Amino acid sequence: MEKSISFVAFDGFQLVDMAAVSVFELANDLPGGPYYQIQLLSEHGGMVRSSSGVQVSSAAFDAHECDTLIVAGSMTPTASTPGLLAFLRLSGAASRRTASICTGAFVLAEAGLLDGRRVTTHWCAARELQRLYPKARVEEDRIFINDGQVWTSAGMTACIDLCLAMVEQDLGVEAARAIARKMVVYHRRSGGQSQFSALLELEPKSDRIQLALSYAKRNLHKELTVDELADAASLSRRQFTRSFRVETGQSPSKAVESLRVEAARAMLEESNHSVDVVARETGFVDPERMRRAFLRTFGHTPQSVKRAAKLVAAA
């Protein structure tokens, strides 16, 4: 039996959030499908205008139950209409899963659906969400969070990770991987992964420096000398060192440490590997060296990161 997936839009919603529809569309093409019945809902039905000006067609709210209810976000959160809030309270209680994309979390919070739950949203709106709705437990540096029947995601393309995780829950990990490949998604980011990326923070300008950083990220288990990175960029050591600092504002060694810390944190949060194994796999080799890098970057130790992840998993 097909599961109903209802996306909820309103005037000013972000069109990029509709990329999530493609995840379920592609799931329907998998062997044994279709698995989902997809619809776009709005309070009054008809054409709904996005923040970009592009309009989409929608059906009006009705009283039927749906399996999964997903609320889109907007560029700037605004007060919701009484009709939208009433629909979410009724349908949210009846649905197996209720979710928000980006600032759609403000809509769920206004409806009272996030009280006492762990939630996330776009990083730039997370503190405002916590201020306005103190009963929610906002975690600003997460791609998505699943707390019981309520799912929330970070902004923009995080909606794809959220919906891939839903398909994985429904159809299994291989189905989610197949869809990710078709969508040309490098991999589904886990919910615990940071919204921030060391590569994005470095912002290299030239292809050669980007090549060197991509090489480093693929080979963090190695020593990664400056000469090795310069070879990956097809530059002399002197040219590479000068260009690297000009483009990123950092030395190669500092940038590699940032990549190692990011990879190590992900391994600690998402696997059962010991601190010693993580240090070895991410190129720190010495756990003490990794501990010092974590203190410089996060202000706490790898052990505390691992303990926090275990507590979250237990919760």
Side-chain angles (χ1 to χ4, degrees):
M1 183 176 178
E2 294 177 37
K3 295 178 171 63
S4 58
I5 308 293
S6 298
F7 285 85
V8 176
F10 44 84
D11 283 336
F13 79 96
Q14 268 196 312
L15 194 61
V16 70
D17 294 351
M18 291 298 102
V21 173
S22 298
V23 174
F24 300 105
E25 177 188 5
L26 291 171
N28 283 339
D29 286 337
L30 294 174
Y35 296 99
Y36 301 104
Q37 182 181 24
I38 308 164
Q39 61 179 344
L40 179 64
L41 303 177
S42 67
E43 186 170 356
H44 304 294
M47 302 304 291
V48 184
R49 187 181 180 87
S50 70
S51 57
S52 66
V54 175
Q55 299 185 63
V56 297
S57 178
S58 67
F61 293 158
D62 56 36
H64 84 285
E65 295 182 10
C66 65
D67 178 82
T68 301
L69 188 69
I70 303 176
V71 180
S74 57
M75 292 292 286
T76 304
T78 56
S80 302
T81 65
L84 172 57
L85 296 177
F87 171 75
L88 290 177
R89 291 181 185 120
L90 288 173
S91 295
S95 301
R96 178 170 66 99
R97 294 183 298 215
T98 301
S100 64
I101 298 170
C102 192
T103 56
F106 284 78
V107 183
L108 293 189
E110 192 177 358
L113 302 182
L114 301 188
D115 291 356
R117 296 190 182 274
R118 295 174 50 244
V119 302
T120 193
T121 186
H122 194 294
W123 62 267
C124 69
R127 294 186 182 181
E128 182 68 3
L129 179 65
Q130 186 68 85
R131 184 185 71 81
L132 291 175
Y133 304 100
K135 292 183 180 180
R137 296 157 55 195
V138 181
E139 298 182 20
E140 64 181 77
D141 191 20
R142 289 293 179 265
I143 297 297
F144 66 85
I145 291 176
N146 169 209
D147 188 339
Q149 73 178 91
V150 175
W151 300 57
T152 52
S153 83
M156 303 297 179
T157 59
C159 67
I160 296 174
D161 302 283
L162 172 78
C163 293
L164 283 171
M166 288 181 172
V167 169
E168 183 175 320
Q169 183 184 69
D170 295 342
L171 307 178
V173 64
E174 289 305 320
R177 286 175 180 166
I179 295 167
R181 284 194 293 270
K182 285 188 177 181
M183 294 188 72
V184 198
V185 176
Y186 180 64
H187 63 88
R188 178 181 73 74
R189 295 173 292 182
S190 68
Q193 190 167 336
S194 171
Q195 292 187 35
F196 302 95
S197 163
L199 285 177
L200 284 177
E201 293 293 319
L202 290 167
E203 293 186 316
K205 306 298 187 298
S206 70
D207 289 344
R208 290 191 175 188
I209 300 303
Q210 288 178 357
L211 282 172
L213 285 169
S214 296
Y215 175 84
K217 191 171 179 64
R218 294 193 306 269
N219 295 277
L220 290 177
H221 60 285
K222 300 173 66 175
E223 184 179 352
L224 292 175
T225 64
V226 174
D227 287 337
E228 188 174 358
L229 294 176
D231 286 343
S234 299
L235 293 170
S236 69
R237 178 189 176 100
R238 182 178 178 182
Q239 287 176 310
F240 173 75
T241 303
R242 182 175 63 249
S243 297
F244 195 97
R245 187 174 288 278
V246 168
E247 293 190 29
T248 68
Q250 296 185 20
S251 67
S253 60
K254 178 63 177 174
V256 169
E257 180 180 280
S258 297
L259 293 173
R260 293 193 200 281
V261 165
E262 181 178 71
R265 176 179 172 178
M267 284 188 69
L268 288 168
E269 291 180 332
E270 299 168 21
S271 74
N272 293 320
H273 293 311
S274 68
V275 171
D276 286 357
V277 169
V278 171
R280 183 171 65 250
E281 291 297 315
T282 55
F284 281 109
V285 182
D286 179 9
E288 176 58 25
R289 181 182 167 195
M290 185 169 79
R291 188 187 74 85
R292 292 194 299 268
F294 266 60
L295 287 172
R296 284 192 296 270
T297 305
F298 305 123
H300 45 248
T301 65
Q303 287 83 355
S304 65
V305 170
K306 193 169 185 65
R307 282 195 298 271
K310 285 183 177 179
L311 288 173
V312 169

